[in-house]
Amino acid sequence: MEVEEQVEEQVGEQVEEQVEEQVGEQVEEQVGEQVGEQVEEQVEEQVERLLGGQGSEVTGCDVGLEQRDSKPASLRKNVTYIVCAVIFNEKEEVLMVQEAKQDCYKQWYLPAGRVEVGESLEEGLRREVKEEAGFDCEPITLLLIQEQGPQWIRFIFLATVTGGSLKSLSAADKESLQASWWDRQSVLPLRGRDILRLIDCGLKYRQDPWHPVTLPVDLSCRHVVQRLVLVFTGAEEQIWILLVKAPVLHLPTAAAVKTHAVTWAANMVVQDAMPSAYHDVNTLGAFSLQHNGRQHGKTDGVCFNTLVKLVPDHVGRNEDGEKVEWTGTPPPVENPRYVWHQVQKQTLREKLLEKTRNTSILPVHSLY
């Protein structure tokens, strides 16, 4: 009897241990799934905030910092930011300034100039308009961003006069000779015809704003980086976002390199995640941008929160070089650092699909 009791006890203990292990594993799986779902929900919430023009702190950089020439942004050393103001009066005449610099003396241009050390982009804009045109102004929205890599980026603002008076010839100085309102019809010797497109862009936005009001978000950044909401759209209104797994699921961020356009960073991410994929990488524009600039050499960077679309090559090739038809799902991720997340929230899915179709976000144009 004692032997039987001992055997029964041992068997009972083993069964209990097995049950406990199974229950423990099931609980761990359930907890893991719940945590995973919560993190995915947090990522979707972050994407929604970016779509709404908000920012998000840059806590790291996933690609690009290993480049030899990738250093923290520093005004006057490795980055130059130009601010440019497009300002109209009630007659839709545009504010122009006459140049005082020798190489373009007496020619006319939009109020524009370099952002100085310690300034935000908006502070630089207000100072330039005051110095060159005599007016106080307030920015309404960014109209367009033009770039030639991180070393030269121009931020074009639509702005409005809030005070001051038009600068006359009697107030001529090294900043400008005078300012004037231009009807865009009379002959005016221009410093560059590139501004005609900017003026036209401002007029069109006044008549029919094609993207939400977008102003810089006051968040610091060490480098010039592109944060990607990189999407792949499939059949039946499906949409996926590429994420980096560690340390927690997050949107990929890539540092710009001076040998390429700022938006080339998106290509670097795709090459890192899917080196064999045959797809076009198309940066459609920016939801928002982040800049602080108060600590020279430490917060001179800019983060562009961008919408990037991976456009499928309908006839790709597999690892053996054989042609394969596109199936409507994202190309497989080859780097284990990355994962595709299928967007679950219907309202977010609809917003992203609408943005990718209509490109109703701030344009970022490379001048390379």
Side-chain angles (χ1 to χ4, degrees), residues 161-179:
V161 170
T162 58
S165 57
L166 194 68
K167 187 173 183 177
S168 64
L169 270 173
S170 62
D173 55 21
K174 64 177 183 176
E175 302 296 338
S176 69
L177 300 178
Q178 62 178 324

